[in-house]
Amino acid sequence: MADLTPKEMAGKLLAEGFSRNGPVATSLSAPIAETPMVVTLDELFPYELDPRITRNPRYDEIKASIRERGLDAPPSITRRPDANHYIIRNGGNTRLAILRELWSETKDERFFRIPCLFRPWPARGEIIALTGHLAESELHGSLTFIERALGVEKARELYEQESGKPLSQSELARRLSGDGYPVQQSHISRMQDTVRYLLPIIPNVLYNGLGRHQVERLAVLRKAAELSWEQRAAGKSLSIDFETLFNDVLAPVDTQPEAFSVARARDELIGQMAAILDTDYNLLELEIDSTEHRQRVVASPPSIPGNPEPDVGRTNVRTAPKPQPEPTPAAPRDGDGTTPPPTAFSATPAPPPSPSSRKERRPNPPLEGDTTMRMKEHIVSPAATTERLQAIQQLVAEQTGNPLPVFADTVLQAIPVQVGGLFPITDIWYIEPGLDSPDRLRIHIAQFAHEIAEEAELTDSIEPLDAGIGFDCKAPQHAAAIALFAHRVLALLHALSAHYDGKWDDQRLSDNFGALLLGSKLNNAQRLSDNGLVKFFRLVRLARRLLDLEANPVEADN
């Protein structure tokens, strides 16, 4: 090979290299497994759908800590499949903003190159990232109510895109819980009302940190006021509609969010409504207050303390204060020597025991073990109901001033049973004020007699009456053909009604009573079922009270 001259050698060295025909990679591919790595501020971006909009209240505290100590915990990062930069995976946007600020202030490399933990983008990446940020922000720096509401609303949009159909509130609550961010359905309802009705009017107040309870008061007020407006504005020609009025009342207070008061907004709204509708302010306020109370009760059904199972003790069960100590003064007694039921709402729905029973009854020992199992042992058969029905019963009781029997509270104070039927029994002895009249008592007595007779297939032999104790016994058409158990049941009911005109040779009650209630070991005689026995006890209690009222007509009128 001939020697190259210096000029030729320089020409070869300066010649262009081999050209590439394939694509040129602009960035490295993302790891396929969880990987610790170092990224720069130029490569890392905040998560775009971060629910936090306002400044973290602990921003300055976190910044001082990072300035002195650096990052104690590396943020979790990820990357979308089609992106060329990394993003914060869940919770870390505040720390990233602080790092950018510290780098701008100090130019210290430890704020520019950040140790991170990379995690691959999951299949449901957007939803997982959003719920992760919601949960992380809630944990490390509580979000405002409106930020949570907007985050949940965005999650609903992503879930609907994923499923291709609208989601109910209950389904949204279930999916959020499944992805690690549990939210109650009632809160979701308030969040949607806030985003729809309040955010366009008072954004500054909401972003300034208006709490959940105040937001709920505003939402309930709007619904109650709108209902009163629709009822009173029907048929009237008004110059303004409710939505405009509500906006006009709230919009001015948005300029001074720190001085916002729900009570003032409520007063101003009712005042303007009263002027426009030509209605008395106090009357309108009372009407709206009553509607607000009903909305709160129905939307938030009471729960059974310590009882996660919905099918145990469901009749007339509500949350109530713990029973207070019994009063020392002697209370007036009714005709049979017992203390009559209270006539006003109190914290102790069950009536206090009579003096004689106080001497005999020892204080109930504390509950041991599972409360639910203890209640199950005292229920003959559950009476089906719903939480909504319980809420309505509680609402009616509070509006009328009458106490509502609380099975969970009186389970160890009264005879603790529950029996299905037309009139479920939660307390054998206690008589509700609404039941404490002769006509109502007769209806219940006749129904219990009918259900007891039904066990012996003798329902045709019970005839309701408007006199006596409420029912009469008739002889069956084929008296000789009925079973011994049926004879005994009818004899017992006949002895109570005292109107039976039998046409067959009835056996003596003393021969039947023990076997009917206890059974017989000798001949395996049939006895009343547990349900029938409880109904018999309740029937006797109501009949005694009926006779007392008829013996004292003045008390019955009161």
Side-chain angles (χ1 to χ4, degrees), residues 1 90 173 177 244 273 286 298 489:
M1 181 177 179
N90 57 336
S177 179
T244 303
M273 286 179 61
L286 182 63
V298 174
V489 170

Side-chain angles (χ1 to χ4, degrees), residues 140-283:
H140 292 291
S142 58
L143 297 171
T144 62
F145 183 83
I146 187 59
E147 288 173 334
R148 289 198 300 271
L150 290 172
V152 169
E153 185 66 13
K154 184 61 180 179
R156 181 187 61 80
E157 295 178 7
L158 295 177
Y159 283 128
E160 290 182 350
Q161 292 175 8
E162 182 183 52
S163 62
K165 60 181 180 180
L167 296 183
S168 64
Q169 293 177 2
S170 59
E171 178 65 14
L172 176 58
R174 188 188 67 79
R175 295 202 180 196
L176 286 171
S177 179
D179 286 330
Y181 187 65
V183 183
Q184 296 181 11
Q185 181 180 344
S186 59
H187 291 178
I188 292 178
S189 176
R190 292 286 183 257
M191 288 175 176
Q192 292 182 351
D193 287 346
T194 302
V195 173
R196 179 179 179 183
Y197 298 111
L198 301 182
L199 182 59
I201 309 174
I202 51 171
N204 292 327
V205 170
L206 292 172
Y207 287 129
N208 197 54
L210 192 66
R212 177 175 66 86
H213 295 294
Q214 291 177 300
V215 171
E216 289 182 350
R217 287 181 60 191
L218 271 179
V220 171
L221 170 64
R222 191 198 66 81
K223 287 187 177 181
E226 184 178 26
L227 181 61
S228 295
W229 177 277
E230 292 175 351
Q231 292 175 346
R232 294 181 174 273
K236 295 182 179 180
S237 178
L238 302 176
S239 59
I240 191 173
D241 59 12
F242 177 79
E243 289 298 330
T244 303
L245 174 63
F246 190 74
N247 290 1
D248 292 345
V249 169
L250 287 188
V253 303
D254 193 48
T255 58
Q256 297 178 333
E258 64 281 353
F260 177 76
S261 169
V262 177
R264 292 180 183 177
R266 185 178 188 275
D267 179 71
E268 180 67 20
L269 177 63
I270 296 176
Q272 293 198 28
M273 286 179 61
I276 296 174
L277 297 173
D278 193 19
T279 305
D280 180 71
Y281 176 94
N282 294 325
L283 181 62

Side-chain angles (χ1 to χ4, degrees), residues 318-555:
R318 63 178 175 85
T319 302
K322 295 181 179 179
Q324 302 296 323
E326 297 173 354
T328 53
R333 306 175 192 170
D334 61 12
D336 58 359
T338 59
T339 304
T343 57
F345 180 78
S346 63
T348 55
S354 62
S356 60
S357 62
R358 287 194 187 114
K359 296 178 182 178
E360 298 171 358
R361 180 185 296 175
R362 297 180 180 178
N364 292 318
L367 289 176
E368 299 178 358
D370 189 279
T371 304
T372 301
M373 295 303 298
R374 186 67 176 267
M375 289 182 63
K376 281 184 177 180
E377 294 174 2
H378 291 85
I379 298 175
V380 175
S381 60
T385 183
T386 63
E387 291 183 352
R388 183 178 179 85
L389 177 58
Q390 296 168 26
I392 294 174
Q393 289 173 337
Q394 178 185 349
L395 174 63
V396 172
E398 293 178 353
Q399 293 290 329
T400 59
N402 295 330
L404 185 65
V406 184
F407 181 73
D409 291 347
T410 61
V411 63
L412 297 179
Q413 299 174 9
I415 301 178
V417 294
Q418 280 195 325
V419 178
L422 184 59
F423 303 121
I425 303 169
T426 56
D427 192 328
I428 289 178
W429 192 253
Y430 176 67
I431 298 176
E432 300 84 352
L435 175 59
D436 200 22
S437 65
D439 293 341
R440 295 287 299 169
L441 288 171
R442 286 191 178 94
I443 293 174
H444 281 240
I445 291 171
Q447 178 62 30
F448 287 137
H450 183 274
E451 292 177 6
I452 293 172
E454 188 175 8
E455 292 191 16
E457 300 181 354
L458 290 174
T459 54
D460 293 339
S461 297
I462 304 300
E463 180 180 3
L465 293 178
D466 294 332
I469 66 168
F471 70 93
D472 189 11
C473 292
K474 300 186 300 182
Q477 295 181 355
H478 304 286
I482 66 174
L484 179 60
F485 173 69
H487 271 288
R488 290 173 173 172
V489 170
L490 202 56
L492 176 62
L493 296 176
H494 161 231
L496 295 176
S497 67
H499 289 287
Y500 171 64
D501 184 15
K503 297 188 187 261
W504 77 87
D505 184 15
D506 188 22
Q507 298 176 340
R508 291 182 304 170
L509 183 60
S510 60
D511 297 335
N512 304 324
F513 198 67
L516 182 61
L517 300 186
L518 305 179
S520 175
K521 185 176 180 181
L522 297 178
N523 54 12
N524 195 26
Q526 185 178 358
R527 66 181 183 181
L528 276 179
S529 66
D530 291 341
N531 283 4
L533 185 63
V534 172
K535 292 171 183 176
F536 169 71
F537 289 150
R538 182 62 170 170
L539 187 156
V540 171
R541 165 59 177 152
L542 297 183
R544 287 161 60 92
R545 180 61 179 163
L546 172 62
L547 297 178
D548 290 338
L549 291 178
E550 291 194 330
N552 187 1
V554 177
E555 184 181 358

